[in-house]
Amino acid sequence: MIEVNHLSKRFESIMAVDDISFAAGKGEILGFLGPNGAGKSTTMKMITGFILPSDGEALVCGKKVQEVPTVTKGLIGYMSENAPLYDDMYVEDFLRYAGELRQMAADKIEAGVNRVIDLCALTSVRYQKIETLSKGFRRRVSMAQALIHDPEVLILDEPTDGLDPNQKHEVRTLIRQLSGNKCIVLSTHILEEVEEVCTRAIIIAKGKLLYDGTPADLKSKSKQHKLDDVFRAITTGESVQGVNL
Amino acid sequence: MIAEVTKSIVRREFKSYFASPLGYVFLIIFLFAIGYVTFEPGSGSFFLMRQADLSSFFRYVPYLFLFLVPAVSMRLLAEERKSGTIELLLTMPVTEAQVVFGKFLAAWLFVAVALAGTFPLVLTVIYLGSPDLGVVILGYLGAALLAGAFLAIGIFFSAISKNQVVSFILGVVFCYVLLMAGSPPILGFISTFLPKFLVEIFESLSIMNHFESMGRGVIVIGDLFFFALMIGGWLYGTILLITEKKSN
Ligand SMILES: Nc1ncnc2c1ncn2[C@@H]1O[C@H](COP(=O)(O)OP(=O)(O)O)[C@@H](O)[C@H]1O
Ligand SMILES: [Mg+2]
């Protein structure tokens, strides 16, 4: 459902994303792992059509993002880093607006708003102004916005960042619950998260793709089954005791 | 003709002017200021000229708009870029053109509401005398087009900086330069370094000249064309700018 071919992005002097290729299909939950500044967000921004690649291409459901951006944007639900929202809007109005921007029919919007409010447990803040929400609720509103049109492809940039352990657990449960007929890509630098929710992991560092496989395979590379060690060995290139790449 | 999604953007942006006290404050300031300058007991005013018309109203509108209209447009794109919601908006299946046009229309509608609020002035003038209603209507049309041109300039500068204050100041400066492009001091200044034909082109860009010509009660296709070109040109520039700068 998502295909990325030799994607690159250069910002002045740095290669934020350097010749990355991968594909992800229906039912997969693909984890994007990498240290801060690795190029995870930049890759996602190119798939969602927010920024143009310097080189290479991204395809969503077989359609090229650069050729038909409004079509591919319509197929994706996206939650960007830090979950930006319109603070002056009320939760319900904001979700309805998201439905309108997605050009859904009026009755579909109403049904969609009710569905995502239920799904993301927003009933208690439904009539609240967004600026008054806690971080956990902001995340969930952002998630709800990404799900309003029941997209085939879901792209989540650090969906659990800044949440407390219980909230993290809720978000992960929700993500697992959503998979099945969707293709989900999420980025994180929390290793347990990959183990817990992802069916596949990709590791990138300094813009380059360094690993593509299952979390279990990744873990088995360490004698003590320590994901931390494997991650450090792959992303830094140093040899770490007990890790066999 | 206007896409449904553009209308949604217009609705949301128009409403957001009233989501904070700012919109109301703007309307009150505008109405007080316009009432004051229309009836103000200075030279050429309503009472001194003993003339029941709106000539002083229309004479002061450009100067009021000069400061108030860029204040209406300054947040339109600067705020989206600062808060990051631009990414939310532009990863929806909408085009940059729909976003810019929708925001512009919402701001224009807001200024139109402010202008409509001056209607008691018209009633007063009708009560006191018998003004030429054609002149009044064209005057209002001219004021609306003037606001449109200022808004188009303002939204362009709202896309340039994430800082609303910077957007506002640049907007005022450029509105001023284009408003006064036909005035002798500015023409005199630029003719010191530009050839004559460029000075003439510059003079023809004077917003004030086109506004005043409408205020005299004659519809000139050229004036309408001028405002359409002005609005279209700056909006097109805004679309290019936001496409280029959205991710920075
Ligand atoms: N708009 C931009 N202009 C210049 N450099 C950028 C821009 N966006 C990201 N970068 C740089 O690109 C690299 C990758 O960033 P990013 O994709 O945000 O990393 P990650 O999401 O993995 O933490 C970083 O070095 C970052 O500073
Ligand atoms: Mg990031």
Side-chain angles (χ1 to χ4, degrees):
Chain A
M1 287 184 137
I2 292 181
E3 200 185 320
V4 165
N5 299 322
H6 304 289
L7 204 60
S8 297
K9 181 72 187 180
R10 173 188 287 281
F11 291 114
E12 279 113 48
S13 59
I14 51 163
M15 284 300 274
V17 175
D18 192 355
D19 195 19
I20 283 186
S21 301
F22 66 88
K26 191 178 268 198
E28 275 194 277
I29 304 180
L30 178 62
F32 255 42
L33 269 171
N36 286 324
K40 305 184 291 291
S41 298
T42 305
T43 305
M44 289 181 155
K45 283 177 201 196
M46 289 190 279
I47 300 171
T48 54
F50 184 61
I51 59 175
L52 292 174
S54 314
D55 217 338
E57 59 177 15
L59 291 91
V60 179
C61 301
K63 299 192 175 66
K64 289 185 182 170
V65 175
Q66 276 154 281
E67 279 174 11
V68 282
T70 43
V71 174
T72 57
K73 284 173 185 179
L75 298 166
I76 297 174
Y78 176 43
M79 177 169 137
S80 60
E81 220 168 4
N82 305 321
L85 301 168
Y86 292 113
D87 283 342
D88 62 345
M89 292 183 96
Y90 292 84
V91 171
E92 193 191 58
D93 292 345
F94 170 72
L95 293 176
R96 203 171 285 133
Y97 182 51
E100 286 172 8
L101 290 175
R102 296 211 167 267
Q103 284 139 74
M104 295 160 68
D107 55 330
K108 291 255 169 58
I109 292 178
E110 284 318 303
V113 168
N114 289 328
R115 198 189 84 251
V116 295
I117 280 180
D118 226 34
L119 199 61
C120 302
L122 292 169
T123 313
S124 63
V125 296
R126 183 172 187 146
Y127 305 107
Q128 213 162 308
K129 220 176 194 178
I130 289 175
E131 65 188 356
T132 67
L133 298 182
S134 66
K135 199 161 188 178
F137 272 119
R138 289 183 71 93
R139 271 305 141 121
R140 279 193 249 165
V141 172
S142 185
M143 188 80 134
Q145 157 284 127
L147 291 168
I148 187 96
H149 56 308
D150 198 16
E152 294 184 61
V153 174
L154 195 55
I155 297 185
L156 309 168
D157 199 349
E158 306 206 9
T160 60
D161 185 46
L163 299 183
D164 70 36
N166 295 341
Q167 294 169 328
K168 280 190 167 99
H169 177 76
E170 282 165 22
V171 170
R172 288 172 195 162
T173 311
L174 178 60
I175 292 170
R176 266 199 306 265
Q177 196 185 322
L178 288 168
S179 66
N181 60 351
K182 289 190 203 312
C183 168
I184 303 178
V185 179
L186 63 89
S187 74
T188 181
H189 49 244
I190 306 167
L191 298 169
E192 307 86 74
E193 197 151 291
V194 178
E195 230 186 326
E196 209 181 307
V197 294
C198 297
T199 58
R200 213 173 105 209
I202 279 180
I203 296 182
I204 49 178
K206 299 201 183 89
K208 288 199 165 61
L209 194 148
L210 301 175
Y211 177 85
D212 184 349
T214 65
D217 271 351
L218 195 61
K219 206 172 176 180
S220 70
K221 289 183 189 301
S222 156
K223 272 192 209 122
Q224 287 94 24
H225 293 278
K226 276 190 175 159
L227 265 180
D228 282 23
D229 289 348
V230 183
F231 181 76
R232 202 146 40 89
I234 290 179
T235 55
T236 62
E238 293 162 12
S239 66
V240 176
Q241 208 190 348
V243 176
N244 225 329
L245 292 179
Chain B
M1 199 181 93
I2 297 175
E4 210 46 52
V5 67
T6 309
K7 288 184 202 161
S8 300
I9 295 172
V10 174
R11 262 198 304 277
R12 124 92 198 152
E13 294 294 331
F14 182 74
K15 268 196 208 157
S16 81
Y17 280 111
F18 299 99
S20 73
L22 223 69
Y24 297 100
V25 169
F26 170 88
L27 288 179
I28 289 166
I29 289 177
F30 174 74
L31 292 176
F32 262 105
I34 206 80
Y36 179 77
V37 297
T38 304
F39 295 113
E40 171 244 350
S43 63
S45 74
F46 193 86
F47 294 110
L48 197 78
M49 288 174 63
R50 297 180 176 283
Q51 229 177 356
D53 67 16
L54 289 168
S55 57
S56 46
F57 169 78
F58 288 122
R59 198 166 46 248
Y60 283 108
V61 155
Y63 302 104
L64 274 180
F65 275 2
L66 185 57
F67 291 98
L68 290 176
V69 169
V72 172
S73 55
M74 65 182 182
R75 50 168 279 277
L76 288 173
L77 289 160
E79 198 175 45
E80 297 261 7
R81 285 184 56 211
K82 183 162 188 162
S83 69
T85 47
I86 188 86
E87 190 167 355
L88 180 75
L89 190 55
L90 291 179
T91 50
M92 295 283 183
V94 299
T95 62
E96 280 87 356
Q98 285 167 335
V99 167
V100 169
F101 194 52
K103 281 172 174 277
F104 166 77
L105 281 183
W108 209 4
L109 211 58
F110 179 73
V111 177
V113 167
L115 268 177
T118 64
F119 195 60
L121 283 178
V122 180
L123 292 183
T124 310
V125 170
I126 291 175
Y127 176 73
L128 291 176
S130 50
D132 182 342
L133 282 183
V135 172
V136 172
I137 290 169
L138 270 187
Y140 268 96
L141 181 65
L145 289 173
L146 174 78
F150 280 4
L151 282 173
I153 295 168
I155 196 173
F156 179 86
F157 288 102
S158 165
I160 270 201
S161 168
K162 285 182 193 178
N163 185 324
Q164 294 191 29
V165 178
V166 172
S167 300
F168 173 74
I169 292 170
L170 288 173
V172 172
V173 168
F174 273 77
C175 286
Y176 180 76
V177 168
L178 284 174
L179 183 66
M180 303 312 259
S183 74
I186 289 196
L187 283 182
F189 171 67
I190 64 157
S191 62
T192 57
F193 57 88
L194 281 185
K196 193 159 182 295
F197 78 99
L198 280 180
V199 174
E200 275 163 15
I201 290 176
F202 187 74
E203 184 179 6
S204 73
L205 290 177
S206 162
I207 296 178
M208 187 65 104
N209 287 353
H210 293 278
F211 174 69
E212 282 178 343
S213 124
M214 289 194 80
R216 282 192 290 271
V218 274
I219 270 226
V220 183
I221 297 300
D223 293 329
L224 294 179
F225 189 70
F226 167 81
F227 281 111
L229 208 67
M230 200 75 174
I231 291 169
W234 284 98
L235 288 185
Y236 185 66
T238 309
I239 293 164
L240 295 182
L241 194 64
I242 204 69
T243 308
E244 184 63 31
K245 293 189 72 132
K246 60 189 174 186
S247 66
N248 291 333

